[in-house]
Amino acid sequence: MAKNGAPTMAALLGLLALASMVGMACGGGRHDYGMALRKSILYFEAQRSGVLPPNQRVTWRASSGLFDGKANGAAIRPFNGNDFPTWKIKLQDLLSFVELDHVLREAAPVVPDAGIEGYEEKIREYQLKLDEWEKSNELAKDMIKRSMNEKIRGAFHDYKGKTAKEFLELIEEKYQAYCASFLLKKLTTARIDVNGTLGNHVKYMWDIVYELKKYGVTVSDSFVEFWFMKSVEGIWF
């Protein structure tokens, strides 16, 4: 198969031969070879795997085999809750490769205003573009979902009514909230290493504070001072 599931010349010749055999098997009389060819092409379309194009006619088939070749680096490692930025970059590259990344950049087509010149033609164009965008959006969401491991995937039940872009933003939002929560716990449970120095311990705690800022969390100096005193309580003071 050629890119996007288009039949190659060899495949078309094979289909013509198949249609011819169908005609011979049916015996005499007039036969609709065109129908035989169309159904043969539809049969081959139904066998496609990978990311199916928006014009997929066999509607009960979904994208499949998205992680084939994973051992050779052809697919990305499923997101397991760690290192979201790296996973996001690889996911965007994958969506770009299959020509679905446009739904992360572009909103759904906007319905034209009634009464404008050429409205009927524009509304037809709009509907065609909307259908194509919605199919691409659903495929992109399916790829995002399949690019997470099962445990992480189960934490997202509220993505159905969202676009692929909103779904990805939701994952990022929850990842950031998790990281912030983890860092706050790390800061408030820190204890000085009795074999280390006070200076290293101060640096360790302030490094956590700077990390928190990356996730939109700012803590006051008095907050840090309180937990610093707790972290050295009974050892230095």
Side-chain angles (χ1 to χ4, degrees), residues 159-178:
Y159 75 95
K160 292 293 185 181
K162 298 183 181 295
T163 64
K165 180 182 179 181
E166 291 169 340
F167 184 26
L168 193 57
E169 288 172 347
L170 176 64
I171 298 169
E172 184 168 13
E173 180 184 315
K174 290 196 175 185
Y175 169 78
Q176 291 181 342
Y178 167 79

Side-chain angles (χ1 to χ4, degrees), residues 153-223:
R153 193 185 309 157
F156 293 91
H157 303 291
D158 50 351
Y159 75 95
K160 292 293 185 181
K162 298 183 181 295
T163 64
K165 180 182 179 181
E166 291 169 340
F167 184 26
L168 193 57
E169 288 172 347
L170 176 64
I171 298 169
E172 184 168 13
E173 180 184 315
K174 290 196 175 185
Y175 169 78
Q176 291 181 342
Y178 167 79
C179 288
S181 176
F182 172 78
L183 288 169
L184 278 172
K185 183 177 180 180
K186 195 175 178 182
L187 181 66
T188 56
T189 58
R191 293 293 179 268
I192 190 169
D193 182 355
V194 293
N195 296 316
T197 66
L198 186 61
N200 284 340
H201 182 60
V202 171
K203 182 180 182 300
Y204 169 78
M205 295 197 71
W206 278 106
D207 283 345
I208 297 175
V209 172
Y210 289 130
E211 281 292 310
L212 280 167
K213 288 182 179 179
K214 292 181 182 179
Y215 302 108
V217 178
T218 302
V219 294
S220 66
D221 290 350
S222 58
F223 181 87

Side-chain angles (χ1 to χ4, degrees), residues 100-114:
L100 292 174
D101 59 315
H102 64 94
V103 297
L104 299 180
R105 303 187 308 270
E106 305 166 5
V110 178
V111 62
D113 294 330

Side-chain angles (χ1 to χ4, degrees), residues 129-145:
K129 289 179 180 179
L130 180 63
D131 290 345
E132 183 175 348
W133 188 91
E134 287 180 340
K135 289 177 182 178
S136 295
N137 182 62
E138 288 303 314
L139 285 171
K141 284 203 299 182
D142 186 58
M143 287 195 69
I144 293 172
K145 183 180 176 182

